[in-house]
Amino acid sequence: MNPNLKEKLNKYELENQIIYTGFSNFDEAENFSIAENGKLAEIAFKNGNDNPAISDEAGLVEHKNHFAAYAGPEYKFIHSGDPQFQEFASHLMEKESDLKRESPEEKYFAPGNTQMEEDPVIVLKNGEIESVTSRERAKYLKHAKVYQIGVILNN
């Protein structure tokens, strides 16, 4: 296991549990849970807040996935780990940006854009690219319900 992994994860301390989220993929979470003697769980963030709740609504554990977000039928969130991500990212890079005449690559994926340093998520509205954000910021957009794979440790 990567010794620096704990530093990059999000840690939530509850009464008798510690919850870690922010894993890059399902396997990373699974390996972390084994190494730390923890339990894999789906963690939900709802109503535009950062309060974790244990859930099974998105089926992340069952489907061995690490991220899902829902904001109504007109929206779709595509995470960088999603097979469709490359297709949409390529499409973004082909289009010219209207803002400041920057290319979409410069606008969304440039190293200086702190929002996109890790975990990019493309937000589609009615099948069209609306924006690019991060997993963390997705919690606060469009009244989204965000689900992440997590590891629960007893405190």
Side-chain angles (χ1 to χ4, degrees):
M1 182 177 79
N2 178 350
N4 299 324
L5 179 59
K6 268 190 183 178
E7 292 175 21
K8 81 164 192 134
L9 298 175
N10 299 313
K11 180 180 178 181
Y12 302 91
E13 294 187 38
L14 305 178
E15 289 179 26
N16 59 353
Q17 297 175 321
I18 297 173
I19 298 174
Y20 286 97
T21 64
F23 296 96
S24 298
N25 55 56
F26 185 86
D27 291 340
E28 185 178 72
E30 189 171 45
N31 291 336
F32 183 84
S33 72
I34 292 166
E36 297 290 326
N37 198 27
K39 178 184 172 191
L40 279 175
E42 175 179 297
I43 308 300
F45 299 92
K46 300 180 184 180
N47 303 319
N49 66 45
D50 202 30
N51 298 325
I54 299 169
S55 171
D56 64 0
E57 294 172 23
L60 295 183
V61 176
E62 177 185 345
H63 299 303
K64 295 188 176 200
N65 205 343
H66 70 290
F67 175 83
Y70 303 99
E74 69 272 21
Y75 289 99
K76 183 173 181 176
F77 293 74
I78 302 174
H79 182 266
S80 61
D82 188 312
Q84 292 180 315
F85 183 86
Q86 279 302 96
E87 173 188 334
F88 283 99
S90 295
H91 181 67
L92 264 177
M93 289 181 196
E94 289 173 7
K95 293 172 90 176
E96 275 191 45
S97 173
D98 292 334
L99 299 174
K100 298 181 185 176
R101 294 239 180 247
E102 292 177 331
S103 73
E105 183 178 14
E106 291 170 326
K107 180 179 170 190
Y108 296 122
F109 300 106
N113 189 338
T114 57
Q115 182 173 300
M116 297 302 3
E117 285 178 2
E118 278 188 41
D119 302 324
V121 175
I122 295 174
V123 181
L124 303 178
K125 182 176 182 183
N126 298 320
E128 297 292 321
I129 296 171
E130 181 182 79
S131 63
V132 178
T133 190
S134 68
R135 270 200 290 174
E136 277 303 303
R137 249 180 93 59
K139 295 176 189 175
Y140 311 105
L141 296 176
K142 320 290 184 211
H143 300 287
K145 296 177 182 176
V146 174
Y147 304 90
Q148 295 187 43
I149 197 67
V151 174
I152 300 172
L153 305 177
N154 290 327
N155 200 0

Coordinates of all heavy atoms in Angstrom, one line a residue, residues 1 6 9-21 23 29-41 43 54 150-155:
M1 N 0.8 -1.2 0.0 CA 0.0 0.0 0.0 C 0.9 1.2 0.0 O 1.9 1.3 0.7 CB -0.9 0.0 1.2 CG -1.8 1.2 1.3 SD -3.0 1.2 2.7 CE -1.9 1.8 4.0
K6 N -2.9 7.8 3.0 CA -3.8 8.4 4.0 C -3.8 9.9 3.9 O -4.8 10.6 4.2 CB -3.3 8.0 5.4 CG -4.0 6.8 5.9 CD -3.7 6.6 7.4 CE -4.3 5.3 7.9 NZ -4.0 5.0 9.3
L9 N -6.3 11.2 1.2 CA -7.7 10.8 1.5 C -8.4 11.8 2.3 O -7.8 12.6 3.1 CB -7.8 9.4 2.1 CG -7.2 8.3 1.4 CD1 -7.3 7.0 2.2 CD2 -8.0 8.1 0.0
N10 N -9.8 11.8 2.2 CA -10.6 12.7 3.0 C -11.0 11.8 4.3 O -11.4 10.7 4.1 CB -11.9 13.1 2.3 CG -11.6 13.9 1.1 OD1 -10.8 14.8 1.1 ND2 -12.2 13.5 0.0
K11 N -10.8 12.4 5.4 CA -11.0 11.7 6.7 C -12.2 12.4 7.4 O -12.2 13.6 7.6 CB -9.8 11.7 7.5 CG -9.9 11.0 8.9 CD -8.6 11.1 9.6 CE -8.6 10.5 11.0 NZ -7.3 10.6 11.7
Y12 N -13.2 11.6 7.8 CA -14.3 12.0 8.6 C -14.3 11.3 9.9 O -14.4 10.0 9.9 CB -15.6 11.8 7.8 CG -15.6 12.5 6.5 CD1 -15.2 11.9 5.3 CD2 -16.1 13.8 6.4 CE1 -15.2 12.5 4.1 CE2 -16.1 14.5 5.2 CZ -15.6 13.8 4.0 OH -15.6 14.4 2.8
E13 N -14.3 12.0 11.0 CA -14.4 11.3 12.3 C -15.8 11.4 12.9 O -16.3 12.6 13.1 CB -13.3 11.9 13.3 CG -11.9 11.7 12.8 CD -10.9 12.1 13.8 OE1 -11.1 12.0 15.0 OE2 -9.8 12.6 13.3
L14 N -16.4 10.3 13.1 CA -17.7 10.3 13.7 C -17.6 9.7 15.1 O -16.4 9.5 15.6 CB -18.7 9.4 12.9 CG -18.8 9.8 11.4 CD1 -19.7 8.8 10.7 CD2 -19.3 11.2 11.3
E15 N -18.6 9.6 15.9 CA -18.6 9.2 17.3 C -17.7 8.0 17.5 O -16.7 8.0 18.3 CB -20.0 8.9 17.8 CG -20.8 10.1 18.0 CD -22.2 9.8 18.5 OE1 -22.4 8.7 19.1 OE2 -23.1 10.6 18.2
N16 N -17.9 6.9 16.8 CA -17.1 5.7 17.1 C -16.5 5.1 15.8 O -16.1 3.9 15.7 CB -18.0 4.6 17.7 CG -19.2 4.2 16.9 OD1 -19.5 4.9 15.9 ND2 -20.0 3.2 17.4
Q17 N -16.5 5.9 14.7 CA -16.0 5.5 13.4 C -15.1 6.5 12.8 O -15.3 7.7 13.0 CB -17.1 5.1 12.5 CG -17.9 3.9 12.9 CD -19.1 3.7 12.0 OE1 -19.7 4.7 11.5 NE2 -19.4 2.4 11.7
I18 N -14.2 6.1 12.0 CA -13.4 7.0 11.1 C -13.8 6.5 9.7 O -13.7 5.3 9.4 CB -11.9 6.9 11.4 CG1 -11.6 7.4 12.8 CG2 -11.2 7.8 10.3 CD1 -10.2 7.2 13.2
I19 N -14.1 7.4 8.8 CA -14.5 7.1 7.4 C -13.4 7.8 6.5 O -13.2 9.0 6.7 CB -15.9 7.6 7.1 CG1 -16.9 6.9 7.9 CG2 -16.2 7.4 5.6 CD1 -18.3 7.4 7.8
Y20 N -12.9 7.0 5.6 CA -12.0 7.6 4.6 C -12.6 7.5 3.2 O -13.2 6.5 2.9 CB -10.7 6.8 4.6 CG -9.7 7.0 5.7 CD1 -9.7 6.2 6.8 CD2 -8.9 8.1 5.7 CE1 -8.9 6.4 7.9 CE2 -8.0 8.3 6.8 CZ -8.0 7.5 7.9 OH -7.2 7.7 8.9
T21 N -12.6 8.6 2.5 CA -13.0 8.6 1.1 C -12.0 9.3 0.2 O -11.0 9.7 0.7 CB -14.4 9.4 0.9 OG1 -14.1 10.8 1.3 CG2 -15.5 8.8 1.8
F23 N -10.7 7.7 -2.7 CA -9.9 6.7 -3.4 C -9.9 6.9 -4.9 O -11.0 7.2 -5.5 CB -10.4 5.3 -3.0 CG -10.2 5.0 -1.5 CD1 -11.2 5.2 -0.6 CD2 -9.0 4.6 -1.0 CE1 -11.1 5.0 0.7 CE2 -8.8 4.4 0.4 CZ -9.9 4.5 1.2
A29 N -9.3 1.3 -2.6 CA -10.1 1.3 -1.4 C -10.1 -0.1 -0.8 O -10.0 -0.3 0.4 CB -11.5 1.7 -1.7
E30 N -10.2 -1.1 -1.6 CA -10.3 -2.5 -1.1 C -8.9 -2.9 -0.5 O -8.9 -3.4 0.6 CB -10.6 -3.5 -2.3 CG -10.8 -4.9 -1.8 CD -11.3 -5.7 -3.0 OE1 -10.8 -5.7 -4.1 OE2 -12.3 -6.5 -2.8
N31 N -7.8 -2.5 -1.1 CA -6.5 -2.8 -0.5 C -6.3 -2.0 0.8 O -5.7 -2.6 1.7 CB -5.4 -2.5 -1.5 CG -5.4 -3.4 -2.7 OD1 -5.8 -4.5 -2.6 ND2 -4.8 -2.9 -3.8
F32 N -6.8 -0.8 0.8 CA -6.7 0.0 2.1 C -7.5 -0.6 3.2 O -7.0 -0.7 4.3 CB -7.2 1.4 1.8 CG -7.1 2.4 2.9 CD1 -5.9 3.0 3.2 CD2 -8.1 2.6 3.8 CE1 -5.8 3.9 4.3 CE2 -8.0 3.5 4.8 CZ -6.8 4.2 5.1
S33 N -8.7 -1.1 2.9 CA -9.5 -1.7 3.9 C -8.9 -3.0 4.5 O -9.0 -3.2 5.7 CB -10.9 -2.0 3.3 OG -10.9 -3.1 2.5
I34 N -8.2 -3.7 3.6 CA -7.5 -4.9 4.1 C -6.4 -4.5 5.0 O -6.2 -5.1 6.1 CB -7.1 -5.8 2.9 CG1 -8.3 -6.4 2.2 CG2 -6.1 -6.9 3.4 CD1 -8.0 -7.0 0.8
A35 N -5.6 -3.6 4.5 CA -4.4 -3.2 5.2 C -4.7 -2.6 6.6 O -4.0 -2.7 7.6 CB -3.5 -2.2 4.4
E36 N -5.8 -1.8 6.7 CA -6.2 -1.1 7.9 C -7.2 -1.9 8.7 O -7.8 -1.4 9.7 CB -6.8 0.3 7.5 CG -5.8 1.2 6.9 CD -4.7 1.6 7.8 OE1 -4.9 1.8 9.0 OE2 -3.5 1.8 7.3
N37 N -7.6 -3.1 8.3 CA -8.6 -3.9 9.0 C -9.9 -3.2 9.1 O -10.6 -3.1 10.1 CB -8.1 -4.4 10.3 CG -8.9 -5.5 10.9 OD1 -9.5 -6.3 10.1 ND2 -9.0 -5.6 12.2
G38 N -10.3 -2.6 7.9 CA -11.5 -1.8 7.9 C -12.6 -2.5 7.0 O -12.4 -3.7 6.6
K39 N -13.7 -1.8 6.8 CA -14.8 -2.3 6.0 C -15.1 -1.4 4.9 O -15.2 -0.2 5.1 CB -16.0 -2.4 7.0 CG -17.3 -2.9 6.3 CD -18.4 -2.9 7.2 CE -19.7 -3.2 6.4 NZ -20.9 -3.0 7.2
L40 N -15.2 -1.9 3.7 CA -15.6 -1.2 2.5 C -17.1 -0.8 2.7 O -17.9 -1.6 3.1 CB -15.5 -2.0 1.2 CG -14.2 -2.1 0.6 CD1 -14.2 -3.1 -0.6 CD2 -13.7 -0.8 0.1
A41 N -17.4 0.5 2.3 CA -18.8 0.9 2.3 C -19.0 2.0 1.3 O -18.1 2.7 1.0 CB -19.1 1.4 3.7
I43 N -20.4 5.6 0.7 CA -20.6 6.8 1.5 C -21.3 7.8 0.7 O -20.9 8.2 -0.4 CB -19.2 7.4 2.0 CG1 -18.4 6.3 2.7 CG2 -19.5 8.6 2.9 CD1 -19.0 5.6 3.9
I54 N -23.6 6.5 5.6 CA -23.4 5.1 5.0 C -24.7 4.8 4.2 O -25.8 5.1 4.6 CB -23.2 4.1 6.1 CG1 -21.9 4.5 6.8 CG2 -23.1 2.7 5.5 CD1 -21.6 3.7 8.1
G150 N -15.9 4.1 0.3 CA -15.2 4.5 1.5 C -14.7 3.3 2.3 O -15.1 2.2 2.0
V151 N -13.9 3.6 3.3 CA -13.4 2.6 4.2 C -13.8 3.1 5.6 O -13.4 4.2 6.0 CB -11.9 2.3 4.1 CG1 -11.5 1.3 5.2 CG2 -11.7 1.7 2.7
I152 N -14.4 2.2 6.4 CA -14.8 2.5 7.7 C -13.9 1.8 8.7 O -13.8 0.6 8.6 CB -16.3 2.2 8.0 CG1 -17.2 2.9 7.0 CG2 -16.7 2.4 9.4 CD1 -18.7 2.4 7.1
L153 N -13.3 2.6 9.6 CA -12.5 2.0 10.7 C -13.2 2.3 12.0 O -13.8 3.3 12.2 CB -11.1 2.6 10.7 CG -10.3 2.5 9.4 CD1 -9.0 3.3 9.6 CD2 -10.1 1.1 9.0
N154 N -13.1 1.3 12.9 CA -13.7 1.5 14.2 C -12.7 2.4 15.0 O -11.5 2.2 14.9 CB -13.9 0.2 15.0 CG -15.1 -0.5 14.4 OD1 -16.0 0.0 14.0 ND2 -15.0 -1.9 14.4
N155 N -13.2 3.4 15.7 CA -12.4 4.4 16.4 C -12.1 3.8 17.8 O -12.8 3.2 18.5 CB -13.2 5.7 16.5 CG -12.3 6.8 16.8 OD1 -11.1 6.7 17.0 ND2 -12.9 8.0 16.9

